[in-house]
Amino acid sequence: MTDAQFQLLRAGSFVLAVALAAALQRLRPHAKWRGSVGTNLGLWAVNAAVMGVVCGACACTVATWASVAGVGLLNATSASLWIAIPATVIGLDLVSYLWHRANHVVPVLWRFHQVHHSDSTFTTSTAVRFHPGELVLSLPLRLLAVLLLGAPAIGVVAFEALFAVSNLIEHGDIDLPLPFEAAVGEMLVTPALHRFHHTRAGADRDHNFGTIFVLWDRLLGTYRPSSSSVRVDVGLLDIRDALALRAALLLPLRSPGRES
Ligand SMILES: [Zn+2]
Ligand SMILES: [Zn+2]
């Protein structure tokens, strides 16, 4: 797979995920939040520019190099794509869980990650509300995971597509039918489960770190059940006002966070 094909597939899945999440949000709204769209899309644009320069399709480059060099578990064992693609999705989702959890524990990482939690609403646009520092800091870990796993480029694309769909939908202001939500929530992260992670109260926030699968939270003791029938006060205790783009970008310098 070429870098251009990788970027095209990734962009296409992102657009489809946005459309799906926006449609669900419109059809089955939860709290009818208007969303911090200006700041969130501003951060998305900054991130697209920064990551385009810093990385571009670097995960694809690393995966292709590892495949040719025979580096990494899946390459060393000559795993078929039927094994390698699901293993890549599961492995990279675990790395994402661990990274997210570290962001809530390590003070310098929380400085950046608090920007994501500083949204006092919870809508699909919250899914792209990340400080560029957080994305740049996560890059070495993500690339190392691709390398050690020997992930195929097509597996990385599959992961990124599923990650985008999960991330955009689970941040949606969406009420799912309760029996359906309970069934899906046995395996996948639902909007209600991730909404609970955005609770303003700090202790509750340290749960439900997963993005695609709930397995990691269940296995590692951070799972808390929630449903669309629960109303959640989202945001941070010490940031009551909506942040403009500039304030969101400067937040890691200004506030150490972790108020509770
Ligand atoms: Zn978080
Ligand atoms: Zn979130």
Side-chain angles (χ1 to χ4, degrees), residues 180-224:
F180 174 75
E181 182 175 74
V184 171
E186 286 295 316
M187 189 177 173
L188 302 173
V189 178
T190 62
L193 289 173
H194 194 67
R195 197 178 291 126
F196 187 84
H197 177 70
H198 279 251
T199 307
R200 203 180 279 274
D204 285 345
R205 204 188 301 139
D206 290 336
H207 298 97
N208 299 354
F209 293 104
T211 299
I212 300 176
F213 301 111
V214 289
L215 176 69
W216 317 121
D217 283 297
R218 286 182 186 271
L219 277 181
L220 300 169
T222 51
Y223 176 76
R224 283 293 179 280

Side-chain angles (χ1 to χ4, degrees), residues 100 103-104 110 113 116-117 194 197-198 205 209:
H100 187 186
N103 274 263
H104 281 251
W110 173 255
H113 187 60
H116 180 64
H117 284 268
H194 194 67
H197 177 70
H198 279 251
R205 204 188 301 139
F209 293 104

Side-chain angles (χ1 to χ4, degrees), residues 17-71:
V18 168
L20 183 59
L24 281 171
Q25 199 167 249
R26 196 172 181 86
L27 289 170
R28 297 195 60 91
H30 173 72
K32 298 195 172 147
W33 276 306
R34 288 185 59 213
S36 314
V37 180
T39 299
N40 296 349
L41 291 189
L43 283 168
W44 174 78
V46 171
N47 288 333
V50 170
M51 295 308 283
V53 171
V54 173
C55 173
C58 62
C60 179
T61 309
V62 168
T64 306
W65 179 85
S67 165
V68 173
V71 169

